[in-house]
Amino acid sequence: MRKQIVAGNWKMNKIFSEGIELINEIKQKAGTVNQTLLVVAPPFILTTEAVKMLKDTNIGVATQNCSNKPEGAFTGEVSAQMVKSVGANFVILGHSERRAYYHETDELINEKIKISLENNLVPIVCCGEVLKERENNEHFQVVAKQIKGMFDSISSDDFKQVILAYEPVWAIGTGKTATPEQAQEMHQFIRETIKNSYGSEIASNLSILYGGSCKPGNAKELFANPDVDGGLIGGASLKADDFIAIANSF
Ligand code: PGA
């Protein structure tokens, strides 16, 4: 049985004190959540503190990125080994904002996935088309290409650790959500694509999260789909009540 997961991508929000407050609130309210793995991804400056604060809970801690390099003269970068060394277990990779603003390619993301796996971090890997690609009816093709590039030469054993997130770029932070049908057909397509490369057992155990304006008001209908295993939540993860309400939407 694959895991239900709700992960909160805080992006570049919350200074240290505000972050501590939000982690505390999530921790207090998470008691109502059953069977769903919660993961928080605050900015790097909060990673260590988040791990400490959440150590006796089932809530996982992720970073929003890591370097493709192991160590050395790469000013401003944070390595997968460093992330692991403070006790975080997850890392979000390939987010569309990283692609759009920091020019990350499938090739670079592939290197990051590999180095994360070498350091026993679970990568939460994002894929998704931009509006123009959907309008041109190229969305399946685009996502298939991203998956092919990002998982190039990644073994079945390694792929078993991976979590995927489908995030149609036109739905991120726009208030425009994919319809449950659009989410389901893409998630099903992704699972089929993975099945073709890694076999049916790995595909059926893979958690595929939906991301893009997911909120308490629409999470239920999205999560009701057989191939939607949870959410990668941006804006709504910055309010503990909304984040927990989404986690309780299965
Ligand atoms: P959003 O962001 O929920 O604010 O649309 C989702 C994401 O980018 O992961």
Side-chain angles (χ1 to χ4, degrees), residues 134-191:
R134 179 159 283 265
E135 284 170 352
N136 291 343
N137 208 25
E138 291 165 356
H139 43 296
F140 292 118
Q141 208 182 312
V142 166
V143 168
K145 184 166 174 278
Q146 289 173 338
I147 289 176
K148 190 166 186 284
M150 292 193 295
F151 295 108
D152 182 43
S153 70
I154 288 181
S155 71
S156 302
D157 259 1
D158 278 343
F159 188 84
K160 280 184 200 157
Q161 310 305 318
V162 169
I163 297 167
L164 275 183
Y166 168 57
E167 300 206 306
V169 180
W170 46 270
I172 296 178
T174 57
K176 225 176 169 186
T177 319
T179 64
E181 295 73 27
Q182 286 171 325
Q184 170 55 25
E185 70 170 358
M186 183 58 88
H187 283 230
Q188 192 177 3
F189 171 80
I190 292 170
R191 203 177 298 288

Tab-separated table of all heavy atoms in Angstrom, residues 134-191:
chain	number	residue	atom	x	y	z
A	134	ARG	N	-0.266	23.138	-21.893
A	134	ARG	CA	-1.585	22.501	-21.741
A	134	ARG	C	-2.508	22.952	-22.868
A	134	ARG	O	-3.201	22.144	-23.469
A	134	ARG	CB	-2.204	22.801	-20.374
A	134	ARG	CG	-3.582	22.157	-20.218
A	134	ARG	CD	-4.019	21.975	-18.790
A	134	ARG	NE	-3.402	20.857	-18.113
A	134	ARG	CZ	-3.925	19.640	-17.990
A	134	ARG	NH1	-5.093	19.346	-18.548
A	134	ARG	NH2	-3.295	18.705	-17.328
A	135	GLU	N	-2.473	24.242	-23.166
A	135	GLU	CA	-3.345	24.756	-24.235
A	135	GLU	C	-3.026	24.097	-25.575
A	135	GLU	O	-3.903	23.881	-26.398
A	135	GLU	CB	-3.212	26.279	-24.339
A	135	GLU	CG	-3.953	26.996	-23.229
A	135	GLU	CD	-3.650	28.483	-23.160
A	135	GLU	OE1	-2.750	28.980	-23.878
A	135	GLU	OE2	-4.311	29.170	-22.349
A	136	ASN	N	-1.753	23.785	-25.775
A	136	ASN	CA	-1.339	23.109	-27.021
A	136	ASN	C	-1.504	21.596	-26.954
A	136	ASN	O	-1.038	20.888	-27.843
A	136	ASN	CB	0.136	23.404	-27.326
A	136	ASN	CG	0.351	24.840	-27.713
A	136	ASN	OD1	-0.590	25.547	-28.051
A	136	ASN	ND2	1.596	25.293	-27.647
A	137	ASN	N	-2.101	21.162	-25.832
A	137	ASN	CA	-2.329	19.728	-25.641
A	137	ASN	C	-1.029	18.910	-25.624
A	137	ASN	O	-0.987	17.784	-26.107
A	137	ASN	CB	-3.280	19.224	-26.737
A	137	ASN	CG	-4.065	18.027	-26.249
A	137	ASN	OD1	-4.258	17.873	-25.042
A	137	ASN	ND2	-4.483	17.169	-27.162
A	138	GLU	N	0.007	19.538	-25.042
A	138	GLU	CA	1.310	18.868	-24.995
A	138	GLU	C	1.647	18.386	-23.581
A	138	GLU	O	2.781	17.985	-23.316
A	138	GLU	CB	2.426	19.859	-25.399
A	138	GLU	CG	2.413	20.272	-26.850
A	138	GLU	CD	3.272	21.510	-27.111
A	138	GLU	OE1	3.816	22.090	-26.140
A	138	GLU	OE2	3.387	21.892	-28.280
A	139	HIS	N	0.664	18.498	-22.668
A	139	HIS	CA	1.002	18.281	-21.255
A	139	HIS	C	1.510	16.874	-20.954
A	139	HIS	O	2.438	16.708	-20.169
A	139	HIS	CB	-0.145	18.675	-20.327
A	139	HIS	CG	-1.503	18.259	-20.764
A	139	HIS	ND1	-2.084	18.731	-21.911
A	139	HIS	CD2	-2.387	17.406	-20.214
A	139	HIS	CE1	-3.286	18.193	-22.035
A	139	HIS	NE2	-3.498	17.383	-21.022
A	140	PHE	N	0.949	15.867	-21.588
A	140	PHE	CA	1.416	14.496	-21.316
A	140	PHE	C	2.851	14.313	-21.813
A	140	PHE	O	3.695	13.747	-21.128
A	140	PHE	CB	0.494	13.465	-21.973
A	140	PHE	CG	-0.875	13.415	-21.356
A	140	PHE	CD1	-2.005	13.726	-22.096
A	140	PHE	CD2	-1.038	13.065	-20.017
A	140	PHE	CE1	-3.270	13.689	-21.515
A	140	PHE	CE2	-2.299	13.024	-19.430
A	140	PHE	CZ	-3.420	13.336	-20.191
A	141	GLN	N	3.071	14.821	-23.003
A	141	GLN	CA	4.392	14.740	-23.615
A	141	GLN	C	5.457	15.444	-22.762
A	141	GLN	O	6.556	14.926	-22.557
A	141	GLN	CB	4.271	15.459	-24.950
A	141	GLN	CG	5.168	15.047	-26.062
A	141	GLN	CD	4.859	15.981	-27.256
A	141	GLN	OE1	3.697	16.211	-27.624
A	141	GLN	NE2	5.904	16.534	-27.824
A	142	VAL	N	5.089	16.638	-22.258
A	142	VAL	CA	6.022	17.432	-21.454
A	142	VAL	C	6.381	16.697	-20.168
A	142	VAL	O	7.556	16.580	-19.791
A	142	VAL	CB	5.399	18.821	-21.132
A	142	VAL	CG1	6.147	19.551	-20.027
A	142	VAL	CG2	5.341	19.673	-22.394
A	143	VAL	N	5.367	16.177	-19.502
A	143	VAL	CA	5.600	15.493	-18.230
A	143	VAL	C	6.402	14.203	-18.465
A	143	VAL	O	7.322	13.884	-17.709
A	143	VAL	CB	4.255	15.240	-17.498
A	143	VAL	CG1	4.429	14.277	-16.326
A	143	VAL	CG2	3.676	16.565	-17.010
A	144	ALA	N	6.098	13.486	-19.527
A	144	ALA	CA	6.835	12.249	-19.833
A	144	ALA	C	8.317	12.564	-20.067
A	144	ALA	O	9.204	11.849	-19.595
A	144	ALA	CB	6.233	11.560	-21.055
A	145	LYS	N	8.575	13.673	-20.752
A	145	LYS	CA	9.961	14.063	-21.031
A	145	LYS	C	10.687	14.462	-19.740
A	145	LYS	O	11.851	14.105	-19.545
A	145	LYS	CB	9.959	15.222	-22.042
A	145	LYS	CG	11.322	15.652	-22.499
A	145	LYS	CD	11.231	16.554	-23.732
A	145	LYS	CE	12.594	17.100	-24.115
A	145	LYS	NZ	12.997	18.280	-23.342
A	146	GLN	N	9.999	15.198	-18.886
A	146	GLN	CA	10.616	15.589	-17.611
A	146	GLN	C	10.986	14.335	-16.807
A	146	GLN	O	12.092	14.221	-16.279
A	146	GLN	CB	9.644	16.454	-16.784
A	146	GLN	CG	9.429	17.842	-17.361
A	146	GLN	CD	8.328	18.619	-16.623
A	146	GLN	OE1	7.471	18.033	-15.975
A	146	GLN	NE2	8.353	19.934	-16.758
A	147	ILE	N	10.053	13.401	-16.746
A	147	ILE	CA	10.284	12.174	-15.966
A	147	ILE	C	11.462	11.386	-16.547
A	147	ILE	O	12.340	10.933	-15.821
A	147	ILE	CB	8.992	11.327	-15.901
A	147	ILE	CG1	7.975	12.042	-15.001
A	147	ILE	CG2	9.264	9.906	-15.400
A	147	ILE	CD1	6.626	11.395	-14.916
A	148	LYS	N	11.477	11.271	-17.846
A	148	LYS	CA	12.559	10.536	-18.500
A	148	LYS	C	13.918	11.176	-18.161
A	148	LYS	O	14.872	10.502	-17.788
A	148	LYS	CB	12.329	10.553	-20.016
A	148	LYS	CG	13.231	9.637	-20.794
A	148	LYS	CD	12.698	9.468	-22.221
A	148	LYS	CE	13.481	8.444	-22.991
A	148	LYS	NZ	14.778	8.933	-23.453
A	149	GLY	N	13.989	12.483	-18.277
A	149	GLY	CA	15.247	13.197	-18.028
A	149	GLY	C	15.654	13.167	-16.556
A	149	GLY	O	16.812	12.920	-16.226
A	150	MET	N	14.682	13.382	-15.682
A	150	MET	CA	15.008	13.499	-14.259
A	150	MET	C	15.435	12.160	-13.661
A	150	MET	O	16.216	12.119	-12.716
A	150	MET	CB	13.811	14.063	-13.482
A	150	MET	CG	13.504	15.515	-13.822
A	150	MET	SD	12.350	16.256	-12.658
A	150	MET	CE	10.864	15.301	-12.931
A	151	PHE	N	14.893	11.060	-14.208
A	151	PHE	CA	15.205	9.750	-13.632
A	151	PHE	C	16.160	8.929	-14.499
A	151	PHE	O	16.268	7.724	-14.325
A	151	PHE	CB	13.910	8.988	-13.320
A	151	PHE	CG	13.111	9.688	-12.255
A	151	PHE	CD1	11.938	10.362	-12.562
A	151	PHE	CD2	13.579	9.727	-10.951
A	151	PHE	CE1	11.235	11.055	-11.593
A	151	PHE	CE2	12.887	10.415	-9.964
A	151	PHE	CZ	11.705	11.081	-10.282
A	152	ASP	N	16.837	9.619	-15.388
A	152	ASP	CA	17.793	8.934	-16.248
A	152	ASP	C	18.825	8.175	-15.405
A	152	ASP	O	19.421	8.746	-14.488
A	152	ASP	CB	18.496	9.980	-17.139
A	152	ASP	CG	19.475	9.320	-18.092
A	152	ASP	OD1	19.115	8.282	-18.672
A	152	ASP	OD2	20.600	9.826	-18.224
A	153	SER	N	19.002	6.907	-15.709
A	153	SER	CA	19.952	6.001	-15.047
A	153	SER	C	19.794	5.955	-13.520
A	153	SER	O	20.768	5.862	-12.789
A	153	SER	CB	21.393	6.284	-15.471
A	153	SER	OG	21.854	7.503	-14.960
A	154	ILE	N	18.558	6.012	-13.066
A	154	ILE	CA	18.275	5.794	-11.638
A	154	ILE	C	17.679	4.391	-11.505
A	154	ILE	O	16.701	4.057	-12.190
A	154	ILE	CB	17.362	6.908	-11.089
A	154	ILE	CG1	18.213	8.182	-11.002
A	154	ILE	CG2	16.769	6.520	-9.720
A	154	ILE	CD1	17.573	9.383	-10.484
A	155	SER	N	18.292	3.588	-10.665
A	155	SER	CA	17.917	2.165	-10.573
A	155	SER	C	16.561	1.989	-9.908
A	155	SER	O	16.058	2.894	-9.232
A	155	SER	CB	18.968	1.416	-9.763
A	155	SER	OG	18.857	1.802	-8.403
A	156	SER	N	15.997	0.811	-10.081
A	156	SER	CA	14.720	0.497	-9.441
A	156	SER	C	14.835	0.608	-7.932
A	156	SER	O	13.945	1.141	-7.271
A	156	SER	CB	14.289	-0.938	-9.757
A	156	SER	OG	14.184	-1.107	-11.124
A	157	ASP	N	15.929	0.109	-7.380
A	157	ASP	CA	16.090	0.168	-5.934
A	157	ASP	C	16.086	1.599	-5.431
A	157	ASP	O	15.503	1.905	-4.403
A	157	ASP	CB	17.420	-0.499	-5.540
A	157	ASP	CG	17.180	-1.897	-5.033
A	157	ASP	OD1	15.998	-2.322	-5.014
A	157	ASP	OD2	18.167	-2.570	-4.674
A	158	ASP	N	16.750	2.469	-6.167
A	158	ASP	CA	16.760	3.877	-5.788
A	158	ASP	C	15.389	4.516	-6.018
A	158	ASP	O	14.901	5.286	-5.197
A	158	ASP	CB	17.825	4.640	-6.592
A	158	ASP	CG	19.210	4.481	-5.980
A	158	ASP	OD1	19.297	4.068	-4.810
A	158	ASP	OD2	20.198	4.757	-6.681
A	159	PHE	N	14.766	4.174	-7.135
A	159	PHE	CA	13.495	4.826	-7.454
A	159	PHE	C	12.422	4.528	-6.405
A	159	PHE	O	11.536	5.360	-6.159
A	159	PHE	CB	12.990	4.432	-8.851
A	159	PHE	CG	11.806	5.251	-9.252
A	159	PHE	CD1	11.968	6.506	-9.816
A	159	PHE	CD2	10.515	4.812	-8.985
A	159	PHE	CE1	10.886	7.300	-10.120
A	159	PHE	CE2	9.417	5.602	-9.288
A	159	PHE	CZ	9.609	6.840	-9.864
A	160	LYS	N	12.540	3.380	-5.761
A	160	LYS	CA	11.572	3.006	-4.713
A	160	LYS	C	11.466	4.046	-3.600
A	160	LYS	O	10.467	4.100	-2.891
A	160	LYS	CB	12.008	1.687	-4.060
A	160	LYS	CG	11.651	0.457	-4.830
A	160	LYS	CD	12.054	-0.768	-4.022
A	160	LYS	CE	12.160	-1.970	-4.935
A	160	LYS	NZ	13.032	-3.014	-4.376
A	161	GLN	N	12.545	4.821	-3.413
A	161	GLN	CA	12.550	5.839	-2.341
A	161	GLN	C	11.800	7.118	-2.740
A	161	GLN	O	11.470	7.928	-1.899
A	161	GLN	CB	13.997	6.254	-1.999
A	161	GLN	CG	14.971	5.126	-1.752
A	161	GLN	CD	14.483	4.195	-0.678
A	161	GLN	OE1	13.957	4.638	0.339
A	161	GLN	NE2	14.613	2.897	-0.929
A	162	VAL	N	11.577	7.288	-4.038
A	162	VAL	CA	11.137	8.586	-4.564
A	162	VAL	C	9.643	8.854	-4.320
A	162	VAL	O	8.823	7.941	-4.335
A	162	VAL	CB	11.428	8.624	-6.089
A	162	VAL	CG1	10.771	9.814	-6.773
A	162	VAL	CG2	12.938	8.607	-6.349
A	163	ILE	N	9.327	10.124	-4.087
A	163	ILE	CA	7.939	10.598	-4.080
A	163	ILE	C	7.826	11.556	-5.258
A	163	ILE	O	8.733	12.372	-5.483
A	163	ILE	CB	7.628	11.342	-2.762
A	163	ILE	CG1	7.754	10.400	-1.550
A	163	ILE	CG2	6.237	11.983	-2.811
A	163	ILE	CD1	7.774	11.135	-0.217
A	164	LEU	N	6.747	11.471	-6.012
A	164	LEU	CA	6.556	12.403	-7.132
A	164	LEU	C	5.480	13.420	-6.789
A	164	LEU	O	4.568	13.136	-5.999
A	164	LEU	CB	6.132	11.647	-8.395
A	164	LEU	CG	7.224	11.054	-9.265
A	164	LEU	CD1	6.611	10.416	-10.504
A	164	LEU	CD2	8.216	12.129	-9.705
A	165	ALA	N	5.592	14.597	-7.382
A	165	ALA	CA	4.525	15.588	-7.236
A	165	ALA	C	4.205	16.135	-8.620
A	165	ALA	O	5.105	16.608	-9.329
A	165	ALA	CB	4.978	16.716	-6.314
A	166	TYR	N	2.928	16.046	-8.987
A	166	TYR	CA	2.490	16.680	-10.232
A	166	TYR	C	1.971	18.063	-9.894
A	166	TYR	O	1.016	18.207	-9.133
A	166	TYR	CB	1.383	15.865	-10.913
A	166	TYR	CG	0.718	16.634	-12.036
A	166	TYR	CD1	1.473	17.136	-13.095
A	166	TYR	CD2	-0.651	16.894	-12.021
A	166	TYR	CE1	0.886	17.875	-14.105
A	166	TYR	CE2	-1.254	17.629	-13.038
A	166	TYR	CZ	-0.473	18.114	-14.078
A	166	TYR	OH	-1.051	18.849	-15.077
A	167	GLU	N	2.634	19.068	-10.453
A	167	GLU	CA	2.249	20.448	-10.174
A	167	GLU	C	2.093	21.212	-11.482
A	167	GLU	O	3.080	21.742	-12.013
A	167	GLU	CB	3.322	21.118	-9.312
A	167	GLU	CG	3.538	20.433	-7.985
A	167	GLU	CD	4.070	21.399	-6.935
A	167	GLU	OE1	5.093	22.049	-7.185
A	167	GLU	OE2	3.428	21.516	-5.895
A	168	PRO	N	0.875	21.265	-12.014
A	168	PRO	CA	0.684	22.072	-13.220
A	168	PRO	C	1.046	23.523	-12.901
A	168	PRO	O	0.512	24.109	-11.959
A	168	PRO	CB	-0.807	21.907	-13.514
A	168	PRO	CG	-1.436	21.374	-12.269
A	168	PRO	CD	-0.369	20.703	-11.486
A	169	VAL	N	1.990	24.069	-13.648
A	169	VAL	CA	2.557	25.370	-13.294
A	169	VAL	C	1.476	26.459	-13.296
A	169	VAL	O	1.493	27.371	-12.472
A	169	VAL	CB	3.731	25.716	-14.247
A	169	VAL	CG1	4.347	27.065	-13.902
A	169	VAL	CG2	4.799	24.632	-14.182
A	170	TRP	N	0.495	26.318	-14.186
A	170	TRP	CA	-0.589	27.307	-14.266
A	170	TRP	C	-1.488	27.302	-13.031
A	170	TRP	O	-2.315	28.197	-12.855
A	170	TRP	CB	-1.427	27.069	-15.530
A	170	TRP	CG	-1.799	25.627	-15.750
A	170	TRP	CD1	-1.079	24.702	-16.440
A	170	TRP	CD2	-2.968	24.942	-15.278
A	170	TRP	NE1	-1.716	23.484	-16.436
A	170	TRP	CE2	-2.876	23.609	-15.726
A	170	TRP	CE3	-4.088	25.333	-14.531
A	170	TRP	CZ2	-3.864	22.653	-15.440
A	170	TRP	CZ3	-5.066	24.379	-14.249
A	170	TRP	CH2	-4.941	23.057	-14.706
A	171	ALA	N	-1.324	26.307	-12.175
A	171	ALA	CA	-2.162	26.221	-10.975
A	171	ALA	C	-1.414	26.652	-9.718
A	171	ALA	O	-2.004	26.781	-8.652
A	171	ALA	CB	-2.671	24.788	-10.804
A	172	ILE	N	-0.102	26.894	-9.847
A	172	ILE	CA	0.695	27.196	-8.659
A	172	ILE	C	0.556	28.657	-8.274
A	172	ILE	O	0.908	29.545	-9.037
A	172	ILE	CB	2.179	26.842	-8.877
A	172	ILE	CG1	2.323	25.327	-9.082
A	172	ILE	CG2	3.027	27.294	-7.691
A	172	ILE	CD1	3.744	24.881	-9.352
A	173	GLY	N	0.020	28.873	-7.077
A	173	GLY	CA	-0.100	30.220	-6.535
A	173	GLY	C	-1.061	31.104	-7.305
A	173	GLY	O	-1.070	32.318	-7.121
A	174	THR	N	-1.869	30.523	-8.160
A	174	THR	CA	-2.758	31.322	-8.999
A	174	THR	C	-4.211	31.268	-8.527
A	174	THR	O	-5.043	32.011	-9.005
A	174	THR	CB	-2.742	30.779	-10.445
A	174	THR	OG1	-3.124	29.393	-10.411
A	174	THR	CG2	-1.371	30.916	-11.069
A	175	GLY	N	-4.489	30.348	-7.614
A	175	GLY	CA	-5.863	30.147	-7.180
A	175	GLY	C	-6.639	29.270	-8.154
A	175	GLY	O	-7.796	28.917	-7.924
A	176	LYS	N	-6.006	28.919	-9.257
A	176	LYS	CA	-6.622	28.096	-10.297
A	176	LYS	C	-6.181	26.651	-10.062
A	176	LYS	O	-4.994	26.342	-10.205
A	176	LYS	CB	-6.050	28.553	-11.644
A	176	LYS	CG	-7.038	28.735	-12.733
A	176	LYS	CD	-6.274	29.281	-13.931
A	176	LYS	CE	-7.117	29.251	-15.175
A	176	LYS	NZ	-6.317	29.640	-16.337
A	177	THR	N	-7.090	25.788	-9.672
A	177	THR	CA	-6.684	24.403	-9.386
A	177	THR	C	-7.010	23.532	-10.581
A	177	THR	O	-7.988	23.796	-11.290
A	177	THR	CB	-7.485	23.855	-8.185
A	177	THR	OG1	-7.574	24.879	-7.218
A	177	THR	CG2	-6.832	22.646	-7.576
A	178	ALA	N	-6.239	22.475	-10.771
A	178	ALA	CA	-6.631	21.482	-11.775
A	178	ALA	C	-7.949	20.864	-11.309
A	178	ALA	O	-8.182	20.734	-10.104
A	178	ALA	CB	-5.556	20.410	-11.883
A	179	THR	N	-8.800	20.501	-12.219
A	179	THR	CA	-10.024	19.811	-11.810
A	179	THR	C	-9.628	18.417	-11.330
A	179	THR	O	-8.567	17.897	-11.709
A	179	THR	CB	-11.006	19.660	-12.987
A	179	THR	OG1	-10.393	18.810	-13.969
A	179	THR	CG2	-11.370	20.999	-13.615
A	180	PRO	N	-10.477	17.800	-10.523
A	180	PRO	CA	-10.161	16.431	-10.087
A	180	PRO	C	-9.914	15.515	-11.279
A	180	PRO	O	-9.030	14.653	-11.231
A	180	PRO	CB	-11.411	16.012	-9.315
A	180	PRO	CG	-12.019	17.289	-8.855
A	180	PRO	CD	-11.702	18.314	-9.893
A	181	GLU	N	-10.628	15.725	-12.379
A	181	GLU	CA	-10.453	14.876	-13.572
A	181	GLU	C	-9.083	15.121	-14.209
A	181	GLU	O	-8.407	14.175	-14.623
A	181	GLU	CB	-11.546	15.162	-14.620
A	181	GLU	CG	-12.968	14.799	-14.194
A	181	GLU	CD	-13.573	15.738	-13.151
A	181	GLU	OE1	-13.172	16.931	-13.088
A	181	GLU	OE2	-14.436	15.280	-12.377
A	182	GLN	N	-8.699	16.394	-14.305
A	182	GLN	CA	-7.381	16.703	-14.878
A	182	GLN	C	-6.260	16.115	-14.017
A	182	GLN	O	-5.274	15.591	-14.542
A	182	GLN	CB	-7.182	18.225	-14.979
A	182	GLN	CG	-7.980	18.876	-16.099
A	182	GLN	CD	-7.924	20.401	-16.018
A	182	GLN	OE1	-7.895	20.987	-14.932
A	182	GLN	NE2	-7.922	21.059	-17.169
A	183	ALA	N	-6.420	16.211	-12.700
A	183	ALA	CA	-5.398	15.656	-11.804
A	183	ALA	C	-5.344	14.134	-11.975
A	183	ALA	O	-4.274	13.571	-12.197
A	183	ALA	CB	-5.695	16.034	-10.355
A	184	GLN	N	-6.491	13.496	-11.913
A	184	GLN	CA	-6.521	12.034	-12.001
A	184	GLN	C	-5.915	11.536	-13.323
A	184	GLN	O	-5.110	10.607	-13.334
A	184	GLN	CB	-7.949	11.503	-11.817
A	184	GLN	CG	-8.147	10.017	-12.121
A	184	GLN	CD	-7.226	9.069	-11.344
A	184	GLN	OE1	-6.741	9.399	-10.264
A	184	GLN	NE2	-6.956	7.901	-11.915
A	185	GLU	N	-6.287	12.168	-14.431
A	185	GLU	CA	-5.787	11.622	-15.708
A	185	GLU	C	-4.271	11.786	-15.818
A	185	GLU	O	-3.583	10.907	-16.338
A	185	GLU	CB	-6.532	12.157	-16.935
A	185	GLU	CG	-6.280	13.586	-17.266
A	185	GLU	CD	-6.849	14.012	-18.625
A	185	GLU	OE1	-7.428	13.185	-19.348
A	185	GLU	OE2	-6.709	15.207	-18.941
A	186	MET	N	-3.737	12.887	-15.276
A	186	MET	CA	-2.276	13.038	-15.312
A	186	MET	C	-1.594	12.090	-14.323
A	186	MET	O	-0.567	11.475	-14.653
A	186	MET	CB	-1.877	14.490	-15.029
A	186	MET	CG	-0.385	14.732	-15.109
A	186	MET	SD	0.348	14.293	-16.716
A	186	MET	CE	0.126	15.846	-17.606
A	187	HIS	N	-2.152	11.958	-13.135
A	187	HIS	CA	-1.538	11.037	-12.157
A	187	HIS	C	-1.542	9.604	-12.688
A	187	HIS	O	-0.571	8.864	-12.522
A	187	HIS	CB	-2.275	11.113	-10.809
A	187	HIS	CG	-1.917	12.331	-10.002
A	187	HIS	ND1	-1.539	12.292	-8.678
A	187	HIS	CD2	-1.865	13.635	-10.363
A	187	HIS	CE1	-1.270	13.519	-8.254
A	187	HIS	NE2	-1.470	14.359	-9.257
A	188	GLN	N	-2.631	9.236	-13.323
A	188	GLN	CA	-2.720	7.891	-13.899
A	188	GLN	C	-1.672	7.711	-15.006
A	188	GLN	O	-1.006	6.688	-15.094
A	188	GLN	CB	-4.125	7.692	-14.470
A	188	GLN	CG	-4.432	6.274	-14.821
A	188	GLN	CD	-5.872	6.127	-15.305
A	188	GLN	OE1	-6.623	7.095	-15.422
A	188	GLN	NE2	-6.259	4.912	-15.591
A	189	PHE	N	-1.531	8.772	-15.804
A	189	PHE	CA	-0.536	8.745	-16.875
A	189	PHE	C	0.882	8.605	-16.295
A	189	PHE	O	1.706	7.838	-16.803
A	189	PHE	CB	-0.644	10.026	-17.726
A	189	PHE	CG	0.464	10.186	-18.718
A	189	PHE	CD1	0.443	9.489	-19.921
A	189	PHE	CD2	1.545	11.025	-18.457
A	189	PHE	CE1	1.481	9.633	-20.847
A	189	PHE	CE2	2.583	11.172	-19.370
A	189	PHE	CZ	2.550	10.472	-20.567
A	190	ILE	N	1.149	9.355	-15.226
A	190	ILE	CA	2.479	9.295	-14.597
A	190	ILE	C	2.729	7.885	-14.059
A	190	ILE	O	3.802	7.307	-14.258
A	190	ILE	CB	2.606	10.355	-13.464
A	190	ILE	CG1	2.610	11.762	-14.060
A	190	ILE	CG2	3.849	10.110	-12.604
A	190	ILE	CD1	2.498	12.896	-13.051
A	191	ARG	N	1.720	7.324	-13.412
A	191	ARG	CA	1.894	5.975	-12.852
A	191	ARG	C	2.168	4.959	-13.972
A	191	ARG	O	3.001	4.070	-13.850
A	191	ARG	CB	0.667	5.572	-12.029
A	191	ARG	CG	0.988	4.488	-10.993
A	191	ARG	CD	-0.203	4.122	-10.126
A	191	ARG	NE	-0.715	5.203	-9.318
A	191	ARG	CZ	-0.098	5.718	-8.237
A	191	ARG	NH1	1.038	5.217	-7.830
A	191	ARG	NH2	-0.641	6.724	-7.561
